[in-house]
Amino acid sequence: MCLAVPGKVLDIEERDGTRMATVDFGGVVKEVCLEYVPDLKVGEYAIVHVGFALQRLDEESARQTLALFEELGLLQEEFGDPWEAAATQGLPEAGGATAAAVGQTAREARQ
């Protein structure tokens, strides 16, 4: 599922003529394009979908939405580790390695 998730702008910079921001989604930090909301400032909240800030949002609404998403497990679904998800689903063996083994290898590589 792809959600539009509220996030707080931590940092803004221009990259190759495009306004980009570092955005915090309740502990998960991602890079986001600000071209649709060009006047967004550091410290403000925005609704973000597929890497694009779409609309400014007040802080209280953002916090309530993030809390609800967290309670429903939607943040983990949206931002969780895909290798971890594959490992927990117990996918059948493919090419001699199980999804759990692949997930373990990916986790080790990131550490």
Side-chain angles (χ1 to χ4, degrees), residues 20-106:
M20 297 294 291
T22 304
V23 178
D24 179 3
F25 300 95
V28 176
V29 177
K30 300 274 185 180
E31 294 297 310
V32 172
C33 177
L34 298 182
E35 290 300 305
Y36 294 137
V37 190
D39 59 339
L40 202 61
K41 296 177 179 74
V42 171
E44 292 184 316
Y45 288 80
I47 296 289
V48 177
H49 181 63
V50 294
F52 290 87
L54 301 177
Q55 177 181 339
R56 180 178 283 104
L57 185 65
D58 66 274
E59 183 175 355
E60 182 59 28
S61 296
R63 289 182 185 275
Q64 288 176 355
T65 303
L66 283 170
L68 179 60
F69 284 0
E70 178 68 30
E71 183 179 320
L72 296 173
L74 295 175
L75 287 180
Q76 180 63 26
E77 183 178 320
E78 187 70 13
F79 296 122
D81 182 345
W83 291 105
E84 185 78 31
T88 59
Q89 289 176 4
L91 297 177
E93 291 191 24
T98 65
V102 172
Q104 179 64 31
T105 302

